[in-house]
Amino acid sequence: MTTPGVADALDVAAREEAGRVLALLARRHGDLDLAEEAVQEALLAAWRTWPRDGVPANPAGWLLVAARRAAVDRLRHEASQQRRSTGAAADPTVASGDAARVDRGELWETVADAPDDRLLDSGTAIPDERLRLVLLCCHPALDRDAQVALTLRLVLGLTTTEIAAGFLVPEATLAQRLVRAKKKIRLAGIPLSVPADLSERLDAVLTVVYLVFTEGHFSAAGGGLVRVDLAAEALRLAAVVDGLVPNRPEVLGLRALLTFHHARRDTRVDGDGGLVLLDAQDRARWHTGEIAAGNALLDRAMRGAPPSRYVLLAVIAALHANATSPAATDWVTICRAYETLARLDPSPVIRLNHAVALAMRDGPDAGLAALEQVRGLERYHGLHVARGQLLLRAGEAAAARAELARARDLAVNESQRRYLTHLLTASTDSGSAGSAT
Amino acid sequence: MEFVILIYGDESIPGPTPGTPEFQEFMGTWMGYNAALKESGHFVSGAGLQPTATATTLRRTFGVPEPTITDGPFAETKEQLGGFYMITAENLDEALDWARKLPVPAGSIEVRPVGVSA
C-alpha cells in the first residue's frame, strides 16, 4: 500500500521532475532516446523503492542520480556490444553531440555532473532546461500531431496510454507516432537548442498548448469515457512555458484565455451531456477564484506592447467571464476587440464570431449582414448555428429551421447534435429561442 | 560540363539485410561503380540520402516573406527539380537557415540528411 504522501511525490516525480531530468540528460548526452529510457528506469526505481524507504529529501536530485546511472549503464552496455562486433571502443561516459560543444562550467552541466551526495542533498536545485525540450518537441520540421504527442509525453510526462485516450486514437497509432517523431529528430538532426529569435518558435509551442486545451475543452461532453483531463494538462503546460520564458505577453495572454475558458467548465454541459451555450450557463457555478487569476494574468499581458492575438482573445474571454449576466456583457468593447483581432488574423472563424458580437450590440439584422461577408465556412456547423439563431431572433422561423437542420447535419459530436435537435423542437413549438453565442 | 544524376526509387521495397551475402554483393556493385567513376576522373561528389521520413520542406509563395516549414518530402507534382546544393551543417536548424536564405521567390526546397557518401 502506498501512503498518500508517497503517492503524491511519485505523481510529481512523473509529471514535473521527470521532464526536468530528461531535459538535462538529453542535453548532457545529446541523445533524446537515451535520456528518455534512463528517466523511465529512474521512475520505475522510484515506484519500487519510495513506498518502502520513504520519499527522498531531494526527489528531483534522486531521479537525476538514478537516471544518470541508468544512462551510463546503457552506454557501457552498447559500447561493450560494439567492442565485441568491431574490436573498437569509445569511452561511453564522454558526452557527445550538442553537449560536447558547450563551454564547460555552465550551471546545468555542473549540476548534471555533480557527485551523487550533492544531488541527493535537499539544498541542491535542479536547473530547468525544459525550454530546449519544449522547442524540440514543437519543432516545425515535425508534423502537428507529432508535436502534440511528444510534448505531452516528454515535457508533461503523460503516458502513451493517457495521450491515446485523450485524443481517442488507438494506443498503437500513438506509440507509432512517437517512434516516428523521435526517429526523425535523430536522423534529421533536429537540435536541442534555443534560437536567437524565439517568437516564431514560441508561436508553435503556443499553438500546441491551444490544441491540447481545445481537445480537452470541447470533447469533454463526448462519449462518457474516462479521459485524462487535457484542458488541465494544457493549463499546466502553459504555466511551465510561462515559467521558462517569463513576462512574454503572448504567453500570459494564452494562459489568461485558457484560465477564463476553464473557469466555466462545470456549466458547459448539462446533466445529460448536452451542450450549454454561454448565455444559458449558470454563472454562479463559474470558478470565481480562477477568473480572478485570469484577470491578473491578463493585466500583466496588457502591459507594454500592443495586444497580440492571444491577448485579444483573452480580452474577449475576460469580458464574458466577468459579466454578471448575458445582458450585462460589454458588447461594445467585445466588438472593438474583434475588429483589431480580424486585422491580425483575418480567418473566417474570427469574422463569424465578430458577426455574432455585432448582432448582440446592434441587433440580429446587423449580425446577419456581417455573416453574409464570411466566406469558406459553408461546411462548418457553427456558421449555420449562428445564422439560424439570428434568423430566429429576427422572427424568420422557417429560414432559421433550415439553417439549424443544416447545422445538425454538419455537427461533429453528439452533444452538439442533441443541442440542435432541442433548439429545432423549441423553434417549432414557439417560433422563438434564446440569443446567440 | 557538369551533370547531376538523380536516383529515384520506391523506398518501401526493402534492400538486402546488412551482414548477409546478398548485402555484400549489393554493396560490391555500388563500390565498383564508385571506383570506376573515380578512376575515370568523372566523379565530383555523390551520396545516398536518408529515407523521405527524415525530410523537411520549406515552401515559398510569391510575395510572402517567410517560408512555411513542414514535415515530409517535396510532393508538389507541378513543380520541377531546378537545382541542388550539398552543404555541411551542425544540425537541421543550421541547414534550414541556409535553405531559407536561398533567393528562390516561389517553390519548394527539400532538406534531407545525407546517409552514405560515395
Side-chain angles (χ1 to χ4, degrees), chain A residues 98 101 139-143 180 183-184 187-191 193 195 200-201, chain B residues 50-51 53-56 66-67 69-72 90-93 96 100 113:
Chain A
D98 193 29
R101 289 191 302 275
H139 197 281
L142 300 167
D143 78 31
R180 278 209 195 100
K183 190 174 171 194
K184 166 127 194 203
L187 291 178
I190 303 180
S193 62
E200 198 183 322
R201 295 288 303 280
Chain B
Q50 294 280 11
T54 66
T56 305
E66 280 303 307
I69 298 174
T70 49
D71 176 42
E90 286 287 328
N91 54 47
L92 181 65
D93 281 356
L96 287 175
R100 208 190 290 259

Side-chain angles (χ1 to χ4, degrees), chain B residues 60-64 105-107:
Chain B
R60 279 205 180 277
T61 315
F62 281 115
V64 180

Side-chain angles (χ1 to χ4, degrees), chain A residues 117-148:
Chain A
D117 55 356
R118 235 195 89 206
L119 292 180
L120 296 171
D121 188 284
S122 62
T124 305
I126 304 304
D128 198 347
E129 290 290 318
R130 284 180 295 178
L131 179 59
R132 285 160 197 277
L133 189 61
V134 175
L135 291 174
L136 176 73
C137 292
C138 300
H139 197 281
L142 300 167
D143 78 31
R144 194 65 82 192
D145 288 344
Q147 293 175 2
V148 168

Side-chain angles (χ1 to χ4, degrees), chain A residues 318-341:
Chain A
L319 290 166
H320 285 303
N322 288 287
T324 49
S325 70
T329 308
D330 180 359
W331 293 105
V332 173
T333 310
I334 289 179
C335 285
R336 212 159 49 219
Y338 271 123
E339 277 159 31
T340 316
L341 191 55

